Amino acid sequence: MNALEISGLEKVYKGGFKALKGIDFSVKEGDFFALLGPNGAGKSTTIGVISSLVNKTAGSVKVFGYDLDTQLMELKRQIGLVPQEFNFNQFETVRQIVVNQAGYYGVPRELAHQRAEKYLTQLGLWEKRDEPARSLSGGMKRRLMIARALLHEPRLLILDEPTAGVDIELRRSMWDYLTRLNKEGITIILTTHYLEEAEMLCRNIGIIDAGQIIENTSMKRLLATL
Ligand code: ADP
Ligand code: ADP
């Protein structure tokens, strides 16, 4: 089964800029997939469309078979999204931010608290649970976003440039954590402009440039051609 199927996807922003020019790719269940490309290539736009934050202009998107146009609620339930910007309320506590996510997905309160403890512990944030998010370092905020995205236990985790601005040590521990999640069965898609990051983590890769997928192959095959 495919975790993601995208075909003929186009995005024209207001003002007429064509950010996606008809892209096609799919990601198999269980894969660790990198969407690699330079700044401005269309990575965030692609992720925005998949997670229904950005309206597409044309094309189709399916997540575990659920169609974005006709099965939006089911599609959203499959996805955990870690956007680039810190879009949580900085004055809420770490634990509140994670637990509050339960409301959007109908996760029962008690289960939400159990999972918050599990994921915050795994991500090294449990001791910070009662601190306001604004007191966290950038790397901790990034990990908080991951814990929040996992609360409803999505089958597909999508991360937009997860290690941008993160120092090398923390980057490695995030890589280890994502690898562990993937081994436990979660399909992961991340965007990056570092080939090294894709190389360290990913099995398959799509290279995007100026709104087009210019290469879609396994990491092994790509490295053999370099
Ligand atoms: P749409 O409703 O077509 O998805 P958005 O609501 O996402 O468009 O965009 C709102 C406005 O924000 C755009 O019309 C644009 O002027 C501006 N904007 C936001 N991000 C960018 C960017 N990266 N480059 C240029 N303009 C931007
Ligand atoms: P990437 O994530 O690969 O850096 P983006 O998807 O953010 O690329 O942006 C792709 C292109 O679309 C860029 O040229 C960007 O300026 C433009 N863009 C992004 N958001 C908007 C927007 N809301 N309105 C207009 N143009 C946008």
Side-chain angles (χ1 to χ4, degrees):
M1 168 158 235
N2 281 328
L4 175 67
E5 282 173 34
I6 287 186
S7 71
L9 187 63
E10 294 180 21
K11 172 63 184 178
V12 180
Y13 280 107
K14 291 184 196 98
F17 183 77
K18 196 164 191 178
L20 299 177
K21 300 172 181 166
I23 66 172
D24 306 275
F25 68 94
S26 58
V27 176
K28 290 204 174 64
E29 181 167 16
D31 201 357
F32 202 141
F33 185 92
L35 192 59
L36 175 77
N39 284 327
K43 301 183 296 298
S44 295
T45 301
T46 304
I47 279 184
V49 171
I50 297 167
S51 47
S52 78
L53 301 174
V54 174
N55 294 321
K56 64 185 164 61
T57 306
S60 87
V61 174
K62 286 183 184 172
V63 175
F64 289 103
Y66 296 113
D67 192 301
L68 178 69
D69 293 328
T70 57
Q71 297 166 294
L72 184 59
M73 289 316 293
E74 293 91 338
L75 176 140
K76 279 185 166 178
R77 219 178 282 275
Q78 310 302 313
I79 299 176
L81 177 69
V82 183
Q84 255 184 78
E85 67 285 2
F86 299 133
N87 60 353
F88 45 75
N89 181 343
Q90 301 271 347
F91 294 94
E92 287 184 338
T93 69
V94 166
R95 177 164 34 190
Q96 276 170 343
I97 286 167
V98 176
V99 168
N100 286 350
Q101 196 71 359
Y104 299 109
Y105 297 96
V107 178
R109 204 183 141 74
E110 192 166 332
L111 185 59
H113 278 276
Q114 283 170 19
R115 288 184 185 171
E117 179 169 357
K118 173 180 165 186
Y119 293 115
L120 287 173
T121 302
Q122 288 182 2
L123 285 155
L125 288 171
W126 184 240
E127 308 81 73
K128 299 279 181 190
R129 61 190 175 277
D130 295 322
E131 306 280 326
R134 74 185 135 79
S135 72
L136 301 181
S137 70
M140 286 176 182
K141 287 177 182 170
R142 185 67 58 200
R143 282 179 279 152
L144 171 58
M145 305 260 291
I146 297 177
R148 184 183 64 174
L150 291 170
L151 189 88
H152 65 293
E153 304 207 324
R155 294 160 82 189
L156 174 62
L157 183 65
I158 302 179
L159 307 102
D160 197 1
E161 301 265 0
T163 63
V166 167
D167 68 57
I168 186 69
E169 207 155 308
L170 179 60
R171 188 176 295 171
R172 273 179 213 292
S173 83
M174 281 181 58
W175 286 349
D176 290 344
Y177 187 65
L178 295 175
T179 301
R180 167 179 168 187
L181 288 176
N182 180 244
K183 283 191 176 133
E184 289 171 359
I186 302 184
T187 308
I188 302 183
I189 298 175
L190 59 76
T191 70
T192 184
H193 56 269
Y194 301 118
L195 178 62
E196 191 205 354
E197 180 158 84
E199 198 181 327
M200 287 295 295
L201 292 173
C202 300
R203 224 164 286 128
N204 290 296
I205 188 167
I207 301 180
I208 184 168
D209 191 27
Q212 291 180 300
I213 296 282
I214 56 171
E215 180 79 87
N216 183 3
T217 183
S218 72
M219 206 60 231
K220 252 187 212 159
R221 235 178 288 157
L222 178 73
L223 293 173
T225 64
L226 290 180

